[in-house]
Amino acid sequence: MKLIMAVIQDKDSNRLSDALVENDFQATKLASTGGFLKAGNTTFMIGVKDKEVDQVLEIIKDNCKSREQLVAPISPMGGNADSYVPYPVEVQVGGATVFILPVEQFEKF
């Protein structure tokens, strides 16, 4: 058995959740925050049998695409103002960061 932890952008959360349910996978959703853009993320925890890992990874890939987005930089409060860029910059957002962990034991009550 494996535990798949997928950190995705909030905008992809509902689409991924619906796709997992359609394919009979249960998941726990946790609100999380990214460090780089301080933007909202969702972390999915999905317990699956070893043979189902590839199917879940395909569902994640199909529903969590990376894309370019303009973001306004955060003002450097107390930081170095020399490197501060006062206009929006284009960054790549979305996609998924996925961790696959072995599960030694699983109990459901």
Side-chain angles (χ1 to χ4, degrees):
M1 181 163 223
K2 302 288 188 210
L3 174 64
I4 299 175
M5 294 182 64
V7 182
I8 66 163
Q9 190 178 32
D10 278 344
K11 290 180 181 178
D12 296 328
S13 176
N14 287 335
R15 186 172 49 251
L16 177 58
S17 182
D18 291 345
L20 289 169
V21 169
E22 285 174 16
N23 288 277
D24 297 323
F25 290 107
Q26 296 179 355
T28 298
K29 290 171 50 173
L30 305 170
S32 52
T33 303
F36 176 62
L37 296 174
K38 307 281 190 266
N41 291 328
T42 301
T43 300
F44 281 80
M45 294 177 22
I46 311 158
V48 297
K49 297 173 185 167
D50 289 352
K51 64 181 181 178
E52 298 172 325
V53 169
D54 290 336
Q55 183 182 359
V56 171
L57 290 177
E58 279 302 313
I59 293 169
I60 293 170
K61 284 181 195 176
D62 291 344
N63 290 280
C64 303
K65 302 287 186 190
S66 61
R67 55 199 165 272
E68 300 292 321
Q69 178 177 320
L70 285 175
V71 296
I74 300 170
S75 175
M77 299 294 276
N80 183 359
D82 294 338
S83 63
Y84 175 65
V85 181
Y87 49 86
V89 293
E90 191 171 61
V91 296
Q92 187 173 356
V93 297
T97 302
V98 181
F99 302 91
I100 303 171
L101 309 165
V103 174
E104 194 170 306
Q105 185 174 342
F106 169 76
E107 301 290 337
K108 188 171 183 176
F109 302 105

